[in-house]
Amino acid sequence: MSEDLQRLYGTSECEPESRTLAAGDLRVELQDGNLRTLRFRGHEVLRAIAFLVRDKDWGTCGAAITDLSVQETGENFSVTYKARFTAPSGANLDCAIAISGTAKTITFSARCVSDADFETARAGFVVLHPIVGVAGEPVEVRHGDGDIERSHWPNRIEPWQPFKDIAAITHQVVPGIAATTAFDGDIFEMEDQRNWTDGSYKTYVRPLALPWPYLVAKNEPFSQKVVVDIQAKEGAASAAGASDVITLHLAPTGLRFPDIGVGLRPECLAQELAALETLKTIGARHLICHFDPGAGHGLAALKGYAQIAEKSGLKVTLELAVPCRRPLDEEMAGFAALVREAGLTLDTLFVCPSVDRQSTPPGSSWPECPPLEEIYAAARKAFPGVRLGGGMMSYFTELNRKRVPADPIDYVNHCTNPIVHAADDLSVMQTFEALRHVVSSARAIYGDKAYRIGPSTIAMRQNPYGSTTKDNPAGRRIPMANVDPRHNGQFGAAWTLAYAATVASAGLEVLTLSTLGGPFGLIAGEGEATVPGGLRPLAHVLARLSTLAGELVHAVATSRPDAVLGLASQERLLLVNITSAPQTVALPAQPRRVSLIGEDTADVPAGEQIVVPPYGCIEVVV
């Protein structure tokens, strides 16, 4: 069992157990004291109701739960427990939690008090509404003064809060079934979590315009409550059961698959130089070279990149964090001189002001920064004849909030990260629901401008929302971690292929989903299921994706996009199971060959139906 976990997840740690609570037609999962996947007659009503506490850097303070009591009768249920949240300072926030449910209602309340001044970015309830079947649909919002706002859920991703001062939200789950979610105890507002590729709209406590972090004062109690009420018309249908067999529909798009890029980082230079053959093995065409003068990167880093570029023959993009501390022409000329001295030939230059790597939340003042047009003009002058990219080194969130001018640049770029807010397996795989909206929103903003994504990885390269990423020496599933063990296992391969499948129809020119070395890289280290120095499973996926570069894309729609995703060319189909259970897929034609992609790449029996194993990646030659 431990070996299976290590192979799939890169860790032998199990996810927390969950328990299904039921009352009539209502079902909900209890996990770590919070509620997930609230369904009524099989339809998803809410993705989660959670009482969460964040530290001053938006890291999650885990709850130590005691005195847990769960009672069920079939027509109702109740849960009570005590939760202690501990801040990095050692202060404790103690909460008495009560949850009750009937056939059409759920009430979740918390009464809290701290034993010392408790510094936090947020302490209170968070409610997640799903986006599938909800985006663009009508919604009714009751505000704190009783006024009713009738609007629509955002379709294109909203950069700022779509709704503020929320007392209650009423939305249609499906025709004939509606749900009202009411909030009490503080001021709530909503953000469009698709910005971070979360598969949800999030209603949360305490407006972001208020100062943060803030203090929960010692011995000053507070309480909050969320109540969900479901209204169902007579005869409202139950959800159709999931079919045992997943079907596919393929359609030509006229678009072509992107080239695959691989990131380089100065701190990994020795391992990168030792792994040059890996670049040939996976067929990468671009090196994305990170260069941050503020982190001490200088001539030695550029010389290392030049050495790798010369030996690999790949095109080079320099990812430059511009300090903007001197006159721009002078600063850019200095970087150009360093590049020449290093002997590094650039294919493209991607520039981003260093200050723009940090998020500017709603209500905050924008940091001082020269106009982007002037930064781009200085870059053009210093690097004549080099294609210029702009956008964000961080995530679509920051690009959506500070939209770079398109005319002065040749392409736009951003990254994404799936563990900003939650890091459990289900939440990570649900990010592909939102990633579809990310690329469609980017296309709506920038039209047919050349578009790149990455480096995007499960682990977080840089934290735009706090002073640092979270260290993860134990290899756990934690948000904002700079190391994630699942990158090393079959889960990482599945995430990589699912990412490529989701953006296949976006018309990208380059997609980068790994670095060469280090914790975001392709080479296995000690203690992994793959032998040290061998290729991690995601490297085999990237090798398949590289062979598709430039071929025409056939869009793949599956009957269960929450379970199986795919991409296709004229002759090949790649499928990925994003769940922990085997999935049966009906193929559109009798295949000539079916291969399992991963550490143990091998042919599998071919027929009109195939079984894709948990987090399995399959290549079908038709």
Side-chain angles (χ1 to χ4, degrees):
M1 179 63 176
S2 178
E3 291 181 359
D4 287 342
L5 291 174
Q6 192 78 17
R7 181 183 63 82
L8 286 176
Y9 304 107
T11 175
S12 56
E13 179 192 54
C14 295
E15 282 208 289
E17 293 185 1
S18 63
R19 174 173 176 173
T20 301
L21 304 176
D25 290 329
L26 188 148
R27 299 286 187 279
V28 68
E29 297 295 317
L30 176 67
Q31 186 179 60
D32 278 345
N34 292 315
L35 300 180
R36 301 196 62 175
T37 317
L38 170 60
R39 295 185 182 275
F40 182 78
R41 297 183 186 170
H43 302 287
E44 186 176 24
V45 177
L46 296 176
R47 187 140 281 183
I49 308 173
F51 188 88
L52 300 177
V53 177
R54 308 292 193 190
D55 65 24
K56 64 183 181 65
D57 289 315
W58 293 99
T60 300
C61 299
I65 294 175
T66 58
D67 298 341
L68 174 65
S69 174
V70 181
Q71 304 293 327
E72 288 187 89
T73 68
E75 293 303 317
N76 55 66
F77 58 80
S78 65
V79 180
T80 58
Y81 63 88
K82 295 177 181 177
R84 166 165 282 192
F85 302 89
T86 302
S89 66
N92 297 305
L93 182 67
D94 291 308
C95 302
I97 303 295
I99 302 170
S100 61
T102 69
K104 292 185 178 180
T105 64
I106 284 183
T107 301
F108 195 155
S109 64
R111 293 182 293 107
C112 305
V113 65
S114 179
D115 63 4
D117 288 347
F118 191 102
E119 190 175 27
T120 178
R122 175 176 298 146
F125 277 110
V126 168
V127 172
L128 306 183
H129 283 79
I131 59 176
V132 175
V134 174
E137 295 298 316
V139 63
E140 182 179 285
V141 178
R142 175 164 55 85
H143 297 291
D145 60 4
D147 283 351
I148 301 296
E149 178 183 359
R150 292 178 175 85
S151 186
H152 289 79
W153 296 95
N155 200 356
R156 187 186 301 180
I157 299 176
E158 191 70 33
W160 311 109
Q161 303 97 318
F163 304 109
K164 297 182 179 181
D165 185 22
I166 300 170
I169 301 172
T170 300
H171 80 288
Q172 178 179 272
V173 179
V174 292
I177 300 176
T180 298
T181 306
F183 306 87
D184 184 58
D186 209 319
I187 301 173
F188 289 78
E189 63 185 21
M190 180 187 293
E191 65 188 11
D192 193 337
Q193 279 209 132
R194 295 175 298 170
N195 276 293
W196 298 271
T197 65
D198 292 71
S200 57
Y201 301 100
K202 179 171 74 176
T203 304
Y204 55 89
V205 74
R206 188 174 168 89
L208 287 174
L210 295 176
W212 58 267
Y214 64 98
L215 290 180
V216 175
K218 177 181 178 179
N219 294 333
E220 291 190 11
F222 69 90
S223 61
Q224 296 174 20
K225 182 170 63 175
V226 174
V227 179
V228 182
D229 178 58
I230 298 170
Q231 308 93 44
K233 294 181 179 179
E234 187 174 351
S238 299
S243 172
D244 290 336
V245 179
I246 296 171
T247 58
L248 310 176
H249 176 73
L250 280 64
T253 67
L255 300 169
R256 296 188 182 275
F257 284 106
D259 291 346
I260 294 299
V262 172
L264 300 180
R265 298 174 68 86
E267 61 268 28
C268 299
L269 178 60
Q271 189 180 28
E272 290 163 352
L273 285 169
L276 289 177
E277 287 300 314
T278 300
L279 294 171
K280 295 180 181 179
T281 300
I282 69 167
R285 299 188 182 184
H286 295 261
L287 300 173
I288 313 301
C289 302
H290 183 63
F291 190 77
D292 180 5
H297 300 169
L299 183 61
L302 295 175
K303 285 184 174 180
Y305 293 152
Q307 191 176 358
I308 294 172
E310 181 181 4
K311 292 183 177 181
S312 68
L314 301 188
K315 297 178 180 180
V316 173
T317 293
L318 186 65
E319 184 188 57
L320 174 60
V322 185
C324 301
R325 292 179 178 173
R326 293 183 290 155
L328 290 173
D329 284 349
E330 177 185 324
E331 196 168 61
M332 285 294 183
F335 292 133
L338 281 175
V339 169
R340 287 193 298 271
E341 184 179 353
L344 179 62
T345 300
L346 302 186
D347 177 67
T348 61
L349 172 69
F350 172 72
V351 295
C352 176
S354 186
V355 296
D356 281 349
R357 293 177 302 165
Q358 290 304 118
S359 177
T360 301
S364 300
S365 298
W366 288 92
E368 187 173 336
C369 181
L372 292 174
E373 290 87 349
E374 295 181 9
I375 295 174
Y376 297 152
R380 289 280 193 198
K381 183 178 179 181
F383 294 87
V386 175
R387 291 185 72 224
L388 182 66
M392 293 292 165
M393 285 186 184
S394 53
Y395 310 131
F396 176 76
T397 316
E398 286 66 56
L399 180 64
N400 200 19
R401 289 175 173 173
K402 185 175 181 178
R403 299 179 181 181
V404 303
D407 289 342
I409 57 178
D410 296 304
Y411 69 89
V412 65
N413 187 92
H414 66 82
C415 306
T416 69
N417 182 263
I419 60 169
V420 173
H421 295 113
D424 60 278
D425 297 339
L426 178 60
S427 293
V428 169
M429 289 305 187
Q430 285 177 334
T431 59
F432 300 117
E433 297 177 1
L435 184 59
R436 298 184 188 97
H437 293 264
V438 165
V439 294
S440 64
S441 293
R443 277 295 179 211
I445 297 168
Y446 292 102
D448 60 0
K449 175 68 66 176
Y451 181 20
R452 297 182 174 192
I453 293 180
S456 295
T457 57
I458 298 177
M460 182 179 267
R461 288 199 308 160
Q462 175 240 336
N463 181 6
Y465 316 110
S467 58
T468 183
T469 55
K470 301 298 178 183
D471 291 331
N472 190 17
R476 300 173 57 214
R477 298 166 171 88
I478 59 174
M480 298 188 179
N482 51 25
V483 173
D484 193 294
R486 291 167 296 186
H487 177 93
N488 309 336
Q490 188 60 35
F491 186 101
W495 185 86
T496 301
L497 182 50
Y499 199 114
T502 303
V503 303
S505 299
L508 300 179
E509 69 172 29
V510 179
L511 175 62
T512 305
L513 296 175
S514 76
T515 60
L516 177 55
F520 312 100
L522 304 174
I523 309 301
E526 295 290 340
E528 299 181 22
T530 305
V531 296
L535 294 180
R536 289 169 173 155
L538 84 164
H540 299 284
V541 167
L542 290 172
R544 292 301 209 283
L545 294 173
S546 292
T547 62
L548 292 173
E551 292 192 24
L552 288 170
V553 174
H554 288 244
V556 179
T558 80
S559 59
R560 286 281 311 284
D562 62 331
V564 170
L565 298 171
L567 55 83
S569 64
Q570 182 67 36
E571 296 183 346
R572 284 189 292 164
L573 169 67
L574 301 184
L575 296 173
V576 54
N577 178 359
I578 59 174
T579 76
S580 59
Q583 302 292 340
T584 301
V585 179
L587 298 178
Q590 181 69 31
R592 289 190 287 120
R593 188 178 75 250
V594 178
S595 301
L596 186 67
I597 308 170
E599 183 182 358
D600 300 319
T601 300
D603 290 348
V604 298
E608 293 182 357
Q609 295 183 1
I610 57 172
V611 177
V612 187
Y615 303 115
C617 302
I618 295 285
E619 180 182 49
V620 180
V621 179
V622 295

